């Protein structure tokens, strides 16, 4: 081989390596599941300044503002219908569902957020625990999410929960947003094998070129 031929060989291999690395990084990095944050939560039946909240005619509506955020820099997210379940926990032994809301399926571009600001009519909140300083609710989000990357197009299950403490104003105690987290087992890392395969293929290519 001439010197120049060798030069070209090296240049081409370097370009091949760079391309392989970019492909692996952009298309095959494991996407993060979207995040769900409760920014506002108001239960008018638990607002003690509201006279009607002391009667059986108390407004049973929960108002909430939830942020759905796709944290990935290079992948859009396909959401199945997002089911939001509100449970009331009047004491340690008792948890019951008081309301549900479903966000229709949608697509979200990379790094984008969506706010769902809605009122849900609930059943059975008042007049439990009127004397307590705060009441506890559990908010659960259940959906399936897939991504624009070919390796992660198939939708994976996402189930996250958080407890929300509501004070005597009917609003959540914490001023800052409450992020929902996974509770128990998810379905593990997806498509790890594809990343490994790609890595092996690019290394093998390298050896062939050298
Ligand atoms: C609670 O009820 C009072 C009286 O109706 C009302 O003025 C106040 O705005 C309510 N609190 C919230 C957080 O909406
Ligand atoms: C209950 O409260 C919600 C939100 O605060 C309001 O939109 C709705 O009109 C109220 N319903 C009644 C029956 O007062």
């Amino acid at each position: 081989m001439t010197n120049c031929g060798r030069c070209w060989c090296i240049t081409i291999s370097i370009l091949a390596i760079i391309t392989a690395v970019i492909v692996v990084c952009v298309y095959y990095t494991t996407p993060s599941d979207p995040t769900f944050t409760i920014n506002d939560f108001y239960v008018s039946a638990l607002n003690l300044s509201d006279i009607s909240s002391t009667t059986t005619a108390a407004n049973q509506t929960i108002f909430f503002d939830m942020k759905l955020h796709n944290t990935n820099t290079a992948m859009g997210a396909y959401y199945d219908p997002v089911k939001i379940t509100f449970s009331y926990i009047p004491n340690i032994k008792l948890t019951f569902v008081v309301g549900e809301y479903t966000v229709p399926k949608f697509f979200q571009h990379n790094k984008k957020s969506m706010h769902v600001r809605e009122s849900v009519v609930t059943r059975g909140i008042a007049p439990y625990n009127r004397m307590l300083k705060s009441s506890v609710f559990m908010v659960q989000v259940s959906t399936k999410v897939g991504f624009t990357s070919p390796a992660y197009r198939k939708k994976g299950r996402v189930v996250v929960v958080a407890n929300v403490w509501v004070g005597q104003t009917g609003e959540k105690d914490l001023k800052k947003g409450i992020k929902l987290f996974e509770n128990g087992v998810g379905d593990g890392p997806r498509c790890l094998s594809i990343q490994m395969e790609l890595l092996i293929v690019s290394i093998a290519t390298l050896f062939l070129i050298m």
Side-chain angles (χ1 to χ4, degrees):
M1 216 183 257
T2 65
N3 256 356
C4 205
R6 211 174 155 72
C7 256
W8 276 111
C9 230
I10 291 171
T11 311
I12 288 169
S13 352
I14 288 172
L15 285 180
I17 297 165
I18 292 173
T19 312
V21 167
I22 289 174
V23 165
V24 170
C25 288
V26 173
Y27 290 100
Y28 295 97
T29 36
T30 312
S32 306
D33 283 336
T35 59
F36 300 86
T37 312
I38 299 162
N39 285 328
D40 249 321
F41 196 89
Y42 174 62
V43 186
S44 121
L46 297 176
N47 178 358
L48 284 189
S49 341
D50 189 337
I51 305 296
S52 75
S53 76
T54 59
T55 70
T56 48
N59 187 332
Q60 291 275 320
T61 306
I62 291 181
F63 168 81
F64 70 97
D65 176 340
M66 185 183 278
K67 184 173 140 190
L68 288 66
H69 179 55
N70 175 12
T71 56
N72 297 290
T73 42
M75 289 182 218
Y78 300 99
Y79 293 70
D80 259 8
V82 179
K83 190 171 158 199
I84 308 173
T85 309
F86 300 89
S87 301
Y88 184 44
I89 311 179
N91 64 59
I92 277 172
K93 292 193 196 119
L94 196 59
T95 300
F96 57 93
V97 173
V98 291
E100 270 155 15
Y101 184 83
T102 302
V103 184
K105 67 176 189 167
F106 67 102
F107 174 75
Q108 188 171 50
H109 286 287
N110 45 323
K111 283 278 165 201
K112 288 282 181 278
S113 301
M114 178 173 93
H115 278 269
V116 178
R117 294 187 186 89
E118 286 294 338
S119 295
V120 276
V121 177
T122 67
R123 44 198 185 257
I125 292 176
Y128 290 95
N129 281 356
R130 301 284 305 163
M131 303 322 282
L132 286 188
K133 280 229 158 54
S134 56
S135 311
V136 188
F137 289 83
M138 185 178 82
V139 180
Q140 185 186 61
V141 163
S142 159
T143 185
K144 280 182 163 186
V145 180
F147 298 92
T148 44
S149 155
Y152 298 95
R153 187 67 52 83
K154 188 166 178 289
K155 289 190 176 115
R157 211 166 130 74
V158 177
V159 178
V160 286
V161 293
N163 283 351
V164 179
W165 275 262
V166 172
Q168 295 182 332
T169 59
E171 290 175 298
K172 72 175 166 56
D173 279 348
L174 282 177
K175 279 280 165 284
K176 64 185 184 81
I178 300 170
K179 194 174 161 193
L180 279 66
F181 283 100
E182 248 176 64
N183 182 13
V185 283
D187 46 12
R190 287 186 282 159
C191 295
L192 201 70
S193 56
I194 290 184
Q195 282 176 45
M196 289 310 291
E197 269 168 34
L198 250 178
L199 212 66
I200 291 165
V201 166
S202 32
I203 290 169
T205 314
L206 243 171
F207 277 112
L208 279 179
I209 294 170
M210 286 307 202

